[in-house]
Amino acid sequence: WRHPLAWQVTLYFGLQSTLFYTLLTWLPAIQTSHGIDEASAGMWLGLFQAVGVVASLIVGQVMQRTRDQRGVSAVVVGFMLVAVSGMMLLPGLMPVWALCAGISTGCSLLLGLTFISLRAGSSQQVGRLSGMVQSIGYLLAAVGPVLAGGLYQAVGSWTPVLWCMIAVAALQGIFGHFAGRSVQLP
């Protein structure tokens, strides 16, 4: 609780979880607001999740070859920034943005979980860090969809929600830069 690196890993994990669960909850509604029929929006939600699984397998192979994960984190966050920006600027390509977001969330989850073991110096630290990361991270993730729904309900548009998601992704990128360094907890 007193080490900045532990908080960097925790906030990376929490922010990536917030984005995933917010999209998991609201992506079909965002898509249908741009004219995609409900059946297609549901299909794209399924593909969003499936492509995330495949992407995590690929990023896992990349991470095995590098000691420093800052570059991987930047690329992963870049996919999310492109996806959410695309949802606002070119909503006609919503299926493409759903796939980009799926790639990002799948890779981000694996990266966040891997940070736990890579940044801990011992098996005891892995357990303590994992408890901190997942308890705070999933608490943040639980709040994301509720706040997104409340914001949409208050303003009647998904655009402010998407802007907030861009801010969350940018913060994830910042914490990923710090958590991705090849360092361990003391």
Side-chain angles (χ1 to χ4, degrees):
W1 294 91
R2 292 183 305 252
H3 299 286
L5 180 58
W7 282 103
Q8 292 157 4
V9 173
T10 298
L11 291 171
Y12 178 87
F13 187 86
L15 294 170
Q16 70 81 26
S17 295
T18 300
L19 288 168
F20 172 75
Y21 285 108
T22 301
L23 284 168
L24 187 65
T25 304
W26 296 114
L27 184 59
I30 293 168
Q31 292 182 42
T32 57
S33 75
H34 288 289
I36 293 178
D37 64 276
E38 290 178 4
S40 295
M43 179 189 70
W44 287 113
L45 179 65
L47 288 172
F48 157 80
Q49 293 179 55
V51 76
V53 171
V54 173
S56 71
L57 296 173
I58 294 168
V59 80
Q61 296 298 316
V62 171
M63 287 174 39
Q64 288 179 6
R65 294 175 176 84
T66 179
R67 291 176 26 120
D68 183 303
Q69 292 76 37
R70 289 179 287 188
V72 174
S73 174
V75 169
V76 166
V77 169
F79 268 93
M80 183 58 72
L81 291 170
V82 166
V84 178
S85 298
M87 289 178 196
M88 284 191 298
L89 300 173
L90 295 169
L93 297 175
M94 193 65 72
V96 173
W97 312 135
L99 294 176
C100 286
I103 290 168
S104 178
T105 58
C107 293
S108 292
L109 174 61
L110 181 66
L111 196 53
L113 291 170
T114 304
F115 282 159
I116 295 169
S117 61
L118 291 176
R119 302 305 166 237
S122 67
S123 58
Q124 290 81 16
Q125 274 187 339
V126 169
R128 288 193 307 266
L129 182 58
S130 179
M132 177 182 175
V133 166
Q134 292 187 64
S135 62
I136 293 171
Y138 285 126
L139 183 62
L140 283 172
V143 173
V146 175
L147 291 177
L151 180 57
Y152 172 77
Q153 205 166 32
V155 299
S157 170
W158 288 110
T159 301
V161 173
L162 294 171
W163 276 112
C164 289
M165 291 176 67
I166 286 174
V168 170
L171 286 171
Q172 177 190 346
I174 291 167
F175 288 111
H177 176 79
F178 291 112
R181 295 171 295 146
S182 183
V183 296
Q184 288 189 318
L185 291 168

